[in-house]
Amino acid sequence: MSYGPSYPVETVASVYWIRSRVKAMRLTILGSGSSKGISRVGHRDALCVDARKKGSKSRRRRSSALVEQAGRRILIDVSPDFLSQMKRARVSRLDAVLLTHAHADATGGLSDLGKWIRLRRHDPVTLYAHPDTIRRLRRSFPKSIIPIPVRPFRMITIAGMNIRFIPVRHGMRGIATYGFRFGRRLFFASDMDATSPAGIKIIHGTPTIILDGAFWEYKRLRGHFSVPDTLEFAKTIRPRRLIITQSGHSFPPHNLAEAEIRRLAKQKSCPFPVKLAYDGMKIEI
Ligand SMILES: [Zn+2]
Ligand SMILES: [Zn+2]
C-alpha cells in the first residue's frame, strides 16, 4: 500500500490556487519630483538643461502615484501637476484618493480634481487621510470630494486593496504624514525622514519599497531622506527592491544619478537592487 503521491500533488495544487488568487498590482509614478519640480524657470544648470530635452527622465513633476488592481485605481496625492499627470497617464476614472500629508506639493491640485470630477460627470471621490490633514484642508475640498479621516496604523480595504496607514516623520515640526502599505507587497512613502519602531516592524520585509530620497547628499533634519539615508533605512527593512522618488534639485541628471546610486548601494552592501523613479515609470507588483 502506498501513501506516496497525494501530499505533494495537493501542495502543488494549493500553491497554484493561492497564486491564481493574488491579483496583479501596478504602480505608476505620475510625479517623481520634490516640492518645486524640475526643471525650474530660468535655470541653466546641468540638471535643468537635461530636463528640458525631449523625453528626459530628469523632468520631474510633483510627487504622485497611481495604484491599479483588477481595473480599480487609487491616486496617491493630488499635486499641482494633477491635470497634466492624469492626461499623460490617460486616467479618466478614479476609485479613491489617498493623501500623504497637507503640504501644497501633495494637495495643490484639489480644486483641479474637483473640476475634473465635474467635467466628467464622475461620481464623487472618497479621499482618505490623517484626521489632522483633513482638518488643515477642510476649506480646500470641493463638494465632489468626500474626505474620510483615518487613524494611524489602521488598515482599510479601499477599492479592493488592503491599505495600512503608517505614520512617518516628515520634519521635526511634525506635520502628520502617512506612508501606505498595500497588502504585504508594497510600501510607498514619498515624504519622510524617519518612522517609529512600530512602523518599521510593520513594513519590515515588504518586497517593494518606494521611498523619499529628496536630497542628493546628507542633510540633517530637513523633513526628507537624502539618498544615503534612504539606502541605510532600506537596509533595515530588507526589501527585494528599492525605488527612490521625490528627487530634488540637488540631484545630477537622471542617468548619472542612477549610476551613482548603484555605486553607492554597492559600497553600502545593499543586498537589493535600487532604481531611481522617473515620471511615467511603471512598477509591476
Ligand atoms: Zn536648475
Ligand atoms: Zn511635505
Side-chain angles (χ1 to χ4, degrees):
M1 193 191 282
S2 167
Y3 297 96
S6 66
Y7 181 72
V9 168
E10 270 175 30
T11 306
V12 169
S14 63
V15 166
Y16 178 77
W17 182 77
I18 291 165
R19 285 230 176 107
S20 66
R21 282 173 58 86
V22 176
K23 293 175 192 148
M25 182 182 274
R26 175 198 273 172
L27 183 141
T28 305
I29 299 282
L30 301 177
S32 59
S34 60
S35 59
K36 291 181 189 155
I38 306 289
S39 63
R40 296 188 183 168
V41 180
H43 281 207
R44 290 171 185 272
D45 55 276
L47 177 69
C48 290
V49 168
D50 185 66
R52 287 187 204 105
K53 291 178 189 158
K54 198 169 184 287
S56 170
K57 290 179 180 173
S58 296
R59 160 95 162 94
R60 301 185 189 278
R61 291 162 186 80
R62 266 67 69 93
S63 178
S64 179
L66 185 75
V67 183
E68 298 170 272
Q69 190 181 46
R72 304 184 78 185
R73 291 169 155 175
I74 297 177
L75 178 72
I76 304 177
D77 285 338
V78 190
S79 90
D81 302 315
F82 168 79
L83 290 176
S84 77
Q85 287 168 326
M86 291 295 100
K87 199 172 165 190
R88 193 159 182 255
R90 297 193 180 136
V91 177
S92 57
R93 244 195 82 251
L94 287 171
D95 291 280
V97 173
L98 312 178
L99 290 184
T100 54
H101 67 306
H103 281 160
D105 53 331
T107 62
L110 281 171
S111 69
D112 283 339
L113 171 60
K115 281 179 219 152
W116 185 86
I117 291 170
R118 271 203 313 281
L119 271 172
R120 278 171 180 71
R121 298 169 189 263
H122 189 298
D123 291 334
V125 171
T126 43
L127 176 149
Y128 300 83
H130 192 286
D132 184 61
T133 304
I134 289 179
R135 188 183 53 76
R136 283 170 188 263
L137 296 169
R138 63 192 180 279
R139 291 196 186 87
S140 316
F141 294 121
K143 279 188 190 138
S144 49
I145 298 175
I146 303 161
I148 298 182
V150 183
R151 297 237 153 254
F153 296 110
R154 276 205 61 194
M155 191 174 80
I156 310 184
T157 304
I158 301 169
M161 300 176 226
N162 294 330
I163 301 167
R164 192 114 183 226
F165 290 68
I166 313 288
V168 293
R169 194 182 71 184
H170 176 33
M172 287 305 275
R173 272 178 287 163
I175 185 164
T177 304
Y178 277 142
F180 305 108
R181 188 171 186 252
F182 290 76
R184 291 172 186 275
R185 306 194 216 179
L186 166 68
F187 179 66
F188 178 95
S190 54
D191 295 73
M192 74 179 288
D193 61 10
T195 186
S196 63
I200 289 176
K201 205 173 160 191
I202 293 167
I203 59 181
H204 188 269
T206 306
T208 301
I209 58 172
I210 303 175
L211 294 180
D212 182 342
F215 298 112
W216 184 241
E217 285 168 333
Y218 180 69
K219 292 250 175 35
R220 195 170 162 74
L221 305 178
R222 292 285 300 273
H224 293 280
F225 279 144
S226 64
V227 169
D229 294 328
T230 313
L231 296 175
E232 291 295 338
F233 179 77
K235 276 170 75 176
T236 67
I237 305 299
R238 304 181 72 87
R240 278 195 223 132
R241 59 177 163 172
L242 164 68
I243 294 138
I244 296 178
T245 192
Q246 184 89 209
S247 309
H249 190 264
S250 55
F251 272 60
H254 182 95
N255 294 343
L256 203 65
E258 195 164 58
E260 187 61 19
I261 287 170
R262 280 207 195 103
R263 196 192 58 76
L264 193 62
K266 203 171 167 189
Q267 192 190 82
K268 287 182 175 289
S269 312
C270 295
F272 44 80
V274 185
K275 282 193 171 163
L276 181 58
Y278 56 88
D279 293 15
M281 182 185 205
K282 290 184 193 306
I283 303 150
E284 307 294 336
I285 292 152

